[in-house]
Amino acid sequence: MKQIKTVVIILSLFLSLKINAQISQNEAYSAENNGYFITPVETPYGIVFSDNYASQIFLLNKNKVEILVQSPGCGRYFSVSPDGRYISYKSIRETGKQAPAYFDLKKNKSFLLSGYSEKSNQITYNNTENSTKALKINTGNSNLTPVSPDGKYLVYDVNQEFFIVKNLNNGKEEKLTNDGKGVIYPKWSPDSKKLLFQNRNYELLVFDFNTHNLYKIGKGGAGNWDKNSENIVFQKTDASDFILKSSDIFISDFRGKNIRQITFTDNIFEMTPSFDLHDGILYQIYDKRQIIRAILNASKSAITTSTILLDNPQNLKPEFYDVSKFSQAKSITHLTNDVPYIHQKYDAPTGRNGGSACAPTTSNMALAYYNRLPKWPESATSYTYVTGKTTTDYGGYVLDRYKYNEFSFDAYSSSKNAYGGYAYMWISPYTSPGGGDGMRNYQNLHDMASGSYVWTNNATFTKTQTEINNEYPQPICSWITQSGHLTLCVGYVNNQHTLIMNDPWGNKNTPGYPSYDGKDSYYDWPGYNNGYQNFDPDGSHGTVAWTLTARSSQPVYDDLRIQNIYYNHGFYMNNTQDGATQRYYRHVKNTAGSSGHIWWTGGEGGASSDVCWVSWTPNLPSSASYKVEVYIPSTFTDLYSSAAVTSSAYYKIYYAGGNTSVSVNQLANQGSWVDLGTYQFTQGQNGYVRLGDAVATAD
């Protein structure tokens, strides 16, 4: 284990703090990137804590911070023994192999409880024979398997649906009662008679082994016991519409009867509390990188004094490991077809701002996967130094005006400087992607069967696996940032609870967030630790926020009969050259088109050249003479009536050795195939037909 000692300066006065009353999504991204401290726990040797990246375990003692352990995920779900001597954690090598481990604060040294293997549980070590005996218990896919402080019992979950408690002396097992909303984050009381846990509805519960009663404390997370096993300190966080609005500390008796709010700040975000060794609590302030000690009154209902113990030390930064090394060795299930990657910020068209556009960007990655929209190469030069590109293929749908399925995505948000899917979901006609139903209906308008939102207690790892197994990507709104963030699931690691995501903000496993490496990022599901960044980095939510289905399919492509939805498979729409742009094309979905889809645009009467044009390119099996036919839709609806269909559409046929132009009266030939002639073509994709918007003056 690499051990580093670092001296930092500690402030002893609690200063007044002034920050924004709310944390926006951009500010939350920044806080995640900078890192913040989580889960401070006091021991006789000092205060143990980690950070949101969980790659280090620290000890704060006498105004100094020492780094005790560094490894991928070592700080995720660490626990401290009741006597404060041992820190239990999972040791993960850079090869991905895992082993349960503990750090002995008295000896200042780490020890392994077993050898490294492909996957291990996180066993709490209490210096008892039964802690080692617990290693031999088969707990299936459970990760958190704490041993009771008296060393007699082990608890584990079954698919995070219910707990099993196993007697380590006689082997007997008991299924614990729960409220049917899942179980996660089990924590024994110091007297070993109660179990605190959280459900997927962001609620805290306690099971009492003496009475077999189940007590619900209510909304809250990151709960911890006091030394008397009577009270629980926890946080309540309010985040909605991708804004972190508040986070405060509460204390309750274990029955949930006497709940007291301890902090009342609108502009300070107190999180991950624990009881100290005396009459107070410890907690961290989210975006300030501070650890606070607060002394309580006798009834533990109010703070009397507070002290800053750690104040934004600049020399304590998140530690990163090359997790791609052990990702490459993993067996995975991935969507068969490629999922094009779009970055919400770096792929924004020039002059547009996609800084908070994770939801429409996620939707458009799913649309690109199904090939439901033509590429729209727009200028994106603001971040060429990051991407190495000067254009974006799909960023225009997120942020610029366009028309699809007779709907104009032309609402404008001045605050976001955006049209497209971004303004649709946030401004008109909806007010948010989730609560306002904007994301679901946006996807439905683009031929994706997007079902109802699946919130909290119904959002499970198994359901996401099923979507991937059926070749559907799935949007997931998680707490990988404290304000919430949308990513697109494209696969999972077999036999472990790790999802593979297209993250539109980048890859949180690598330095710098945002970054342009968000394609196929590996993230662990809440409650599991395989060394990757987690959907619930501070262990306070217990689940993802919500998920949404995004089901569709790619067309079945035909090499000879090229339809108007065969984007990148023979059908091309020019929307970048000569002033053309995607918003000039109109899309209609009805039975009039040969594929149930029609693209059309207004004619440029008397123009000598085309502005908008499309082409059809077959993939011919052999060189030969081929008859070329075009289909004219029977009717269409949008801005114009059928009477406005042109009588002089010019089809240009490019064949072996030449080209020719054929004028077609579309008005007179609606609902029929029109013969454009027979021509000699060579094998492959060398010939094509082009139709532009230059028509006769009379039209």
Side-chain angles (χ1 to χ4, degrees), residues 37 45 50 55 137 178 184 349 353 377 446 487 490 558 618 675 695:
F37 304 121
Y45 305 89
S50 185
S55 55
I137 305 297
N178 67 82
I184 195 171
N353 177 16
H446 293 80
T487 54
V490 299
D558 190 317
D675 186 352
V695 296

Side-chain angles (χ1 to χ4, degrees), residues 385-656:
Y385 67 96
V386 175
T387 67
K389 305 186 308 181
T390 58
T391 60
T392 173
D393 285 336
Y394 296 102
Y397 294 106
V398 178
L399 295 159
D400 268 342
R401 288 176 288 179
Y402 69 98
K403 300 176 186 295
Y404 188 84
N405 197 19
E406 300 185 75
F407 191 93
S408 295
F409 294 92
D410 57 2
Y412 178 67
S413 167
S414 58
S415 63
K416 304 178 187 302
N417 187 22
Y419 296 94
Y422 195 9
Y424 175 88
M425 293 185 189
W426 281 105
I427 302 299
S428 177
Y430 299 99
T431 57
S432 74
D437 222 25
M439 190 173 183
R440 180 175 70 89
N441 285 328
Y442 179 81
Q443 294 184 169
N444 287 338
L445 280 174
H446 293 80
D447 304 315
M448 278 196 289
S450 184
S452 299
Y453 292 91
V454 178
W455 296 95
T456 54
N457 60 306
N458 289 317
T460 65
F461 183 86
T462 301
K463 290 180 179 179
T464 296
Q465 270 189 315
T466 301
E467 293 300 297
I468 300 300
N469 291 340
N470 290 327
E471 296 288 345
Y472 301 130
Q474 184 173 42
I476 296 177
C477 182
S478 75
W479 303 109
I480 201 165
T481 73
Q482 290 288 345
S483 65
H485 178 53
L486 259 298
T487 54
L488 185 69
C489 185
V490 299
Y492 59 87
V493 177
N494 296 327
N495 301 314
Q496 73 180 45
H497 287 70
T498 302
L499 294 180
I500 305 173
M501 313 297 296
N502 271 17
D503 184 340
W505 195 246
N507 188 342
K508 199 181 176 188
N509 295 294
T510 59
Y513 194 57
S515 56
Y516 202 66
D517 56 354
K519 184 178 177 67
D520 287 343
S521 300
Y522 285 58
Y523 294 143
D524 284 330
W525 191 262
Y528 296 90
N529 179 15
N530 297 294
Y532 303 102
Q533 291 307 302
N534 197 281
F535 281 137
D536 188 18
D538 66 350
S540 65
H541 294 87
T543 183
V544 298
W546 47 267
T547 62
L548 186 65
T549 56
R551 299 173 182 174
S552 188
S553 62
Q554 286 210 21
V556 178
Y557 302 107
D558 190 317
D559 283 345
L560 295 179
R561 181 167 170 164
I562 309 302
Q563 300 191 34
N564 290 5
I565 56 173
Y566 286 8
Y567 317 120
N568 312 313
H569 290 265
F571 180 67
Y572 172 75
M573 296 175 65
N574 171 56
N575 51 25
T576 60
Q577 302 175 33
D578 305 319
T581 180
Q582 189 64 34
R583 66 188 176 94
Y584 293 150
Y585 294 92
R586 277 78 164 178
H587 173 268
V588 182
K589 187 175 67 174
N590 63 23
T591 58
S594 64
S595 60
H597 295 259
I598 302 167
W599 284 101
W600 67 275
T601 190
E604 297 288 328
S608 59
S609 61
D610 301 319
V611 175
C612 296
W613 56 268
V614 301
S615 64
W616 298 264
T617 304
N619 187 10
L620 301 176
S622 61
S623 297
S625 294
Y626 290 87
K627 183 168 71 170
V628 178
E629 294 180 302
V630 295
Y631 183 78
I632 313 300
S634 57
T635 59
F636 68 98
T637 59
D638 201 279
L639 300 179
Y640 301 107
S641 67
S642 296
V645 174
T646 183
S647 60
S648 59
Y650 295 103
Y651 291 84
K652 298 177 182 178
I653 302 95
Y654 292 80
Y655 51 89

Side-chain angles (χ1 to χ4, degrees), residues 42 55 87-88 135 143 189 195 199 285 289 306 360 381-382 384 388 402 412 437 494 597 634:
E42 188 166 32
S55 55
I87 306 169
S88 299
L135 292 170
N143 177 60
S189 60
L195 189 72
N199 64 17
I285 296 181
R289 303 182 81 238
S306 298
T381 58
S382 299
T384 297
Y402 69 98
Y412 178 67
D437 222 25
N494 296 327
H597 295 259
S634 57

